[in-house]
Short mmCIF file of all heavy atoms in Angstrom, two decimals:
data_model
loop_
_atom_site.label_atom_id
_atom_site.label_comp_id
_atom_site.label_asym_id
_atom_site.label_seq_id
_atom_site.Cartn_x
_atom_site.Cartn_y
_atom_site.Cartn_z
N ASP A 84 0.81 -1.21 0.00
CA ASP A 84 0.00 0.01 0.00
C ASP A 84 0.84 1.26 -0.01
O ASP A 84 0.30 2.36 -0.04
CB ASP A 84 -0.91 0.01 1.22
CG ASP A 84 -1.92 -1.14 1.19
OD1 ASP A 84 -2.33 -1.54 0.09
OD2 ASP A 84 -2.26 -1.62 2.28
N ALA A 85 2.17 1.15 0.04
CA ALA A 85 3.04 2.31 0.12
C ALA A 85 3.03 3.13 -1.17
O ALA A 85 3.30 4.31 -1.15
CB ALA A 85 4.47 1.89 0.45
N HIS A 86 2.75 2.50 -2.28
CA HIS A 86 2.70 3.24 -3.55
C HIS A 86 1.66 2.60 -4.49
O HIS A 86 1.21 1.49 -4.26
CB HIS A 86 4.07 3.26 -4.20
CG HIS A 86 4.56 1.91 -4.65
ND1 HIS A 86 5.05 0.96 -3.79
CD2 HIS A 86 4.58 1.34 -5.86
CE1 HIS A 86 5.38 -0.13 -4.46
NE2 HIS A 86 5.09 0.06 -5.72
N THR A 87 1.32 3.31 -5.49
CA THR A 87 0.36 2.80 -6.45
C THR A 87 1.13 2.04 -7.53
O THR A 87 2.08 2.55 -8.09
CB THR A 87 -0.41 3.98 -7.10
OG1 THR A 87 -1.05 4.71 -6.08
CG2 THR A 87 -1.43 3.46 -8.06
N THR A 88 0.71 0.85 -7.81
CA THR A 88 1.41 0.07 -8.84
C THR A 88 1.03 0.56 -10.22
O THR A 88 -0.06 1.05 -10.45
CB THR A 88 1.10 -1.44 -8.71
OG1 THR A 88 -0.29 -1.61 -8.81
CG2 THR A 88 1.60 -1.98 -7.39
N ILE A 89 1.96 0.40 -11.13
CA ILE A 89 1.78 0.90 -12.48
C ILE A 89 1.44 -0.23 -13.45
O ILE A 89 0.69 -0.04 -14.39
CB ILE A 89 3.06 1.63 -12.94
CG1 ILE A 89 3.29 2.84 -12.04
CG2 ILE A 89 2.97 2.05 -14.39
CD1 ILE A 89 4.64 3.51 -12.26
N ASN A 90 1.98 -1.41 -13.21
CA ASN A 90 1.76 -2.49 -14.16
C ASN A 90 1.79 -3.84 -13.43
O ASN A 90 2.09 -3.92 -12.24
CB ASN A 90 2.81 -2.44 -15.28
CG ASN A 90 4.22 -2.59 -14.77
OD1 ASN A 90 4.51 -3.54 -14.04
ND2 ASN A 90 5.10 -1.70 -15.15
N PRO A 91 1.48 -4.94 -14.12
CA PRO A 91 1.45 -6.26 -13.48
C PRO A 91 2.78 -6.68 -12.86
O PRO A 91 2.78 -7.41 -11.88
CB PRO A 91 1.05 -7.20 -14.63
CG PRO A 91 0.35 -6.34 -15.62
CD PRO A 91 1.00 -4.99 -15.52
N ILE A 92 3.87 -6.24 -13.42
CA ILE A 92 5.18 -6.59 -12.84
C ILE A 92 5.30 -5.97 -11.46
O ILE A 92 5.76 -6.62 -10.50
CB ILE A 92 6.33 -6.16 -13.76
CG1 ILE A 92 6.28 -6.97 -15.05
CG2 ILE A 92 7.67 -6.31 -13.07
CD1 ILE A 92 7.22 -6.48 -16.14
N ASP A 93 4.88 -4.72 -11.33
CA ASP A 93 4.91 -4.08 -10.01
C ASP A 93 4.00 -4.82 -9.03
O ASP A 93 4.37 -5.00 -7.87
CB ASP A 93 4.45 -2.62 -10.11
CG ASP A 93 5.43 -1.73 -10.85
OD1 ASP A 93 6.64 -2.03 -10.83
OD2 ASP A 93 4.98 -0.74 -11.46
N ASP A 94 2.83 -5.24 -9.50
CA ASP A 94 1.92 -6.00 -8.62
C ASP A 94 2.58 -7.29 -8.15
O ASP A 94 2.47 -7.65 -6.97
CB ASP A 94 0.63 -6.34 -9.37
CG ASP A 94 -0.24 -5.12 -9.62
OD1 ASP A 94 -0.15 -4.14 -8.86
OD2 ASP A 94 -1.01 -5.15 -10.59
N TYR A 95 3.25 -7.98 -9.05
CA TYR A 95 3.94 -9.21 -8.70
C TYR A 95 4.99 -8.96 -7.61
O TYR A 95 5.03 -9.66 -6.60
CB TYR A 95 4.60 -9.85 -9.94
CG TYR A 95 5.57 -10.95 -9.59
CD1 TYR A 95 5.09 -12.22 -9.25
CD2 TYR A 95 6.95 -10.74 -9.54
CE1 TYR A 95 5.96 -13.24 -8.92
CE2 TYR A 95 7.81 -11.74 -9.19
CZ TYR A 95 7.33 -12.99 -8.88
OH TYR A 95 8.19 -13.98 -8.52
N PHE A 96 5.83 -7.95 -7.84
CA PHE A 96 6.87 -7.68 -6.85
C PHE A 96 6.29 -7.19 -5.52
O PHE A 96 6.83 -7.49 -4.46
CB PHE A 96 7.91 -6.70 -7.39
CG PHE A 96 8.91 -7.37 -8.27
CD1 PHE A 96 8.87 -7.23 -9.63
CD2 PHE A 96 9.92 -8.17 -7.72
CE1 PHE A 96 9.78 -7.88 -10.46
CE2 PHE A 96 10.83 -8.84 -8.51
CZ PHE A 96 10.77 -8.68 -9.89
N ASP A 97 5.20 -6.47 -5.55
CA ASP A 97 4.54 -6.08 -4.31
C ASP A 97 4.12 -7.30 -3.50
O ASP A 97 4.31 -7.35 -2.28
CB ASP A 97 3.32 -5.20 -4.59
CG ASP A 97 3.67 -3.78 -4.89
OD1 ASP A 97 4.82 -3.36 -4.62
OD2 ASP A 97 2.79 -3.05 -5.37
N ARG A 98 3.60 -8.32 -4.18
CA ARG A 98 3.22 -9.55 -3.47
C ARG A 98 4.45 -10.27 -2.93
O ARG A 98 4.44 -10.76 -1.78
CB ARG A 98 2.43 -10.47 -4.41
CG ARG A 98 1.03 -9.95 -4.71
CD ARG A 98 0.15 -10.99 -5.40
NE ARG A 98 0.72 -11.51 -6.65
CZ ARG A 98 0.58 -10.92 -7.83
NH1 ARG A 98 -0.09 -9.81 -7.96
NH2 ARG A 98 1.11 -11.49 -8.91
N VAL A 99 5.50 -10.37 -3.71
CA VAL A 99 6.73 -11.03 -3.26
C VAL A 99 7.32 -10.27 -2.07
O VAL A 99 7.72 -10.86 -1.06
CB VAL A 99 7.76 -11.14 -4.40
CG1 VAL A 99 9.10 -11.63 -3.87
CG2 VAL A 99 7.24 -12.08 -5.48
N TYR A 100 7.38 -8.95 -2.18
CA TYR A 100 7.92 -8.13 -1.08
C TYR A 100 7.10 -8.34 0.19
O TYR A 100 7.66 -8.43 1.28
CB TYR A 100 7.93 -6.66 -1.45
CG TYR A 100 8.93 -6.25 -2.51
CD1 TYR A 100 8.85 -5.00 -3.11
CD2 TYR A 100 9.94 -7.11 -2.94
CE1 TYR A 100 9.78 -4.62 -4.07
CE2 TYR A 100 10.85 -6.73 -3.90
CZ TYR A 100 10.78 -5.48 -4.47
OH TYR A 100 11.68 -5.10 -5.42
N ALA A 101 5.79 -8.40 0.05
CA ALA A 101 4.93 -8.58 1.22
C ALA A 101 5.23 -9.91 1.90
O ALA A 101 5.29 -10.00 3.13
CB ALA A 101 3.46 -8.48 0.82
N LEU A 102 5.43 -10.96 1.11
CA LEU A 102 5.73 -12.29 1.66
C LEU A 102 7.06 -12.30 2.40
O LEU A 102 7.23 -13.01 3.38
CB LEU A 102 5.76 -13.34 0.56
CG LEU A 102 4.42 -13.69 -0.07
CD1 LEU A 102 4.62 -14.60 -1.27
CD2 LEU A 102 3.50 -14.35 0.96
N GLU A 103 8.02 -11.51 1.92
CA GLU A 103 9.35 -11.47 2.50
C GLU A 103 9.54 -10.29 3.48
O GLU A 103 10.65 -10.07 3.97
CB GLU A 103 10.42 -11.36 1.40
CG GLU A 103 10.41 -12.52 0.43
CD GLU A 103 10.84 -13.82 1.08
OE1 GLU A 103 11.66 -13.81 1.99
OE2 GLU A 103 10.33 -14.89 0.65
N SER A 104 8.48 -9.55 3.73
CA SER A 104 8.52 -8.37 4.61
C SER A 104 9.55 -7.34 4.13
O SER A 104 10.28 -6.73 4.93
CB SER A 104 8.82 -8.77 6.06
OG SER A 104 7.81 -9.64 6.52
N ILE A 105 9.63 -7.16 2.84
CA ILE A 105 10.53 -6.16 2.24
C ILE A 105 9.71 -4.94 1.88
O ILE A 105 8.61 -5.04 1.32
CB ILE A 105 11.19 -6.73 0.96
CG1 ILE A 105 12.04 -7.95 1.33
CG2 ILE A 105 12.01 -5.66 0.27
CD1 ILE A 105 12.58 -8.70 0.13
N VAL A 106 10.25 -3.76 2.20
CA VAL A 106 9.56 -2.51 1.88
C VAL A 106 10.27 -1.88 0.69
O VAL A 106 11.47 -1.66 0.71
CB VAL A 106 9.59 -1.56 3.09
CG1 VAL A 106 8.91 -0.26 2.75
CG2 VAL A 106 8.95 -2.21 4.29
N ALA A 107 9.49 -1.60 -0.36
CA ALA A 107 10.06 -0.98 -1.57
C ALA A 107 10.40 0.47 -1.29
O ALA A 107 9.78 1.15 -0.45
CB ALA A 107 9.03 -1.05 -2.70
N ASN A 108 11.41 0.97 -2.00
CA ASN A 108 11.77 2.39 -1.92
C ASN A 108 10.68 3.23 -2.56
O ASN A 108 9.91 2.74 -3.40
CB ASN A 108 13.08 2.65 -2.64
CG ASN A 108 14.26 2.06 -1.93
OD1 ASN A 108 14.23 1.86 -0.72
ND2 ASN A 108 15.30 1.76 -2.67
N GLU A 109 10.66 4.48 -2.20
CA GLU A 109 9.74 5.42 -2.82
C GLU A 109 10.16 5.61 -4.27
O GLU A 109 11.31 5.35 -4.63
CB GLU A 109 9.78 6.76 -2.08
CG GLU A 109 9.25 6.70 -0.66
CD GLU A 109 7.78 6.31 -0.60
OE1 GLU A 109 7.00 6.81 -1.42
OE2 GLU A 109 7.43 5.52 0.28
N ALA A 110 9.25 6.11 -5.10
CA ALA A 110 9.57 6.38 -6.50
C ALA A 110 10.65 7.45 -6.58
O ALA A 110 10.74 8.34 -5.75
CB ALA A 110 8.31 6.87 -7.22
N ALA A 111 11.50 7.33 -7.59
CA ALA A 111 12.59 8.29 -7.79
C ALA A 111 12.03 9.65 -8.16
O ALA A 111 10.98 9.76 -8.80
CB ALA A 111 13.51 7.79 -8.91
N THR A 112 12.73 10.68 -7.76
CA THR A 112 12.33 12.04 -8.15
C THR A 112 12.52 12.19 -9.66
O THR A 112 13.30 11.43 -10.26
CB THR A 112 13.19 13.10 -7.43
OG1 THR A 112 14.55 12.93 -7.86
CG2 THR A 112 13.10 12.98 -5.92
N PRO A 113 11.84 13.14 -10.28
CA PRO A 113 12.06 13.33 -11.72
C PRO A 113 13.52 13.58 -12.07
O PRO A 113 14.00 13.05 -13.09
CB PRO A 113 11.19 14.56 -12.04
CG PRO A 113 10.10 14.52 -11.02
CD PRO A 113 10.77 14.00 -9.78
N GLU A 114 14.24 14.33 -11.26
CA GLU A 114 15.65 14.59 -11.53
C GLU A 114 16.46 13.30 -11.51
O GLU A 114 17.25 13.02 -12.42
CB GLU A 114 16.22 15.59 -10.51
CG GLU A 114 17.68 15.89 -10.75
CD GLU A 114 18.25 16.90 -9.77
OE1 GLU A 114 17.52 17.42 -8.90
OE2 GLU A 114 19.45 17.19 -9.89
N LEU A 115 16.26 12.49 -10.49
CA LEU A 115 17.00 11.23 -10.37
C LEU A 115 16.61 10.27 -11.50
O LEU A 115 17.47 9.59 -12.08
CB LEU A 115 16.75 10.60 -9.02
CG LEU A 115 17.51 9.31 -8.73
CD1 LEU A 115 19.01 9.49 -8.86
CD2 LEU A 115 17.17 8.80 -7.34
N GLN A 116 15.33 10.25 -11.84
CA GLN A 116 14.86 9.39 -12.91
C GLN A 116 15.55 9.75 -14.24
O GLN A 116 16.01 8.86 -14.97
CB GLN A 116 13.34 9.56 -13.03
CG GLN A 116 12.69 8.63 -14.00
CD GLN A 116 11.18 8.85 -14.06
OE1 GLN A 116 10.68 9.91 -13.72
NE2 GLN A 116 10.48 7.84 -14.53
N LEU A 117 15.65 11.04 -14.54
CA LEU A 117 16.28 11.46 -15.78
C LEU A 117 17.78 11.17 -15.77
O LEU A 117 18.35 10.72 -16.75
CB LEU A 117 16.03 12.94 -16.03
CG LEU A 117 16.44 13.43 -17.42
CD1 LEU A 117 15.56 12.80 -18.48
CD2 LEU A 117 16.35 14.94 -17.50
N ARG A 118 18.43 11.39 -14.63
CA ARG A 118 19.85 11.12 -14.52
C ARG A 118 20.14 9.62 -14.75
O ARG A 118 21.07 9.27 -15.48
CB ARG A 118 20.39 11.56 -13.15
CG ARG A 118 20.39 13.08 -12.98
CD ARG A 118 20.68 13.48 -11.53
NE ARG A 118 21.98 13.02 -11.09
CZ ARG A 118 23.09 13.74 -11.11
NH1 ARG A 118 23.06 14.97 -11.57
NH2 ARG A 118 24.22 13.25 -10.66
N ARG A 119 19.32 8.77 -14.17
CA ARG A 119 19.51 7.33 -14.36
C ARG A 119 19.30 6.95 -15.83
O ARG A 119 20.05 6.12 -16.38
CB ARG A 119 18.51 6.55 -13.50
CG ARG A 119 18.83 6.57 -12.04
CD ARG A 119 17.75 5.86 -11.25
NE ARG A 119 18.04 5.84 -9.83
CZ ARG A 119 17.19 5.48 -8.90
NH1 ARG A 119 15.96 5.08 -9.24
NH2 ARG A 119 17.53 5.49 -7.62
N LEU A 120 18.30 7.53 -16.46
CA LEU A 120 18.01 7.24 -17.85
C LEU A 120 19.19 7.59 -18.73
O LEU A 120 19.62 6.78 -19.56
CB LEU A 120 16.77 8.01 -18.31
CG LEU A 120 16.38 7.83 -19.78
CD1 LEU A 120 15.93 6.41 -20.03
CD2 LEU A 120 15.31 8.83 -20.16
N TYR A 121 19.74 8.80 -18.55
CA TYR A 121 20.88 9.21 -19.36
C TYR A 121 22.09 8.29 -19.17
O TYR A 121 22.72 7.86 -20.13
CB TYR A 121 21.26 10.67 -19.04
CG TYR A 121 20.65 11.68 -19.95
CD1 TYR A 121 19.32 12.03 -19.83
CD2 TYR A 121 21.39 12.28 -20.95
CE1 TYR A 121 18.75 12.96 -20.67
CE2 TYR A 121 20.84 13.21 -21.81
CZ TYR A 121 19.51 13.54 -21.66
OH TYR A 121 18.95 14.47 -22.50
#
């Protein structure tokens, strides 16, 4: 419930994370997202 999933892959990993008690990081900021892309 920490974030809204975008696609089925995200849904899958959300379920796996929940089973393993892993908390996903927050979404990257637009600046970080663009830097990673480049």
Side-chain angles (χ1 to χ4, degrees):
D84 296 328
H86 66 283
T87 303
T88 58
I89 297 171
N90 61 51
I92 294 171
D93 291 331
D94 290 334
Y95 168 78
F96 279 104
D97 280 346
R98 289 191 303 275
V99 171
Y100 289 168
L102 290 172
E103 299 293 328
S104 300
I105 298 171
V106 178
N108 290 334
E109 294 296 320
T112 64
E114 180 179 359
L115 183 56
Q116 186 180 21
L117 190 67
R118 291 170 61 94
R119 288 176 179 169
L120 178 67
Y121 265 77

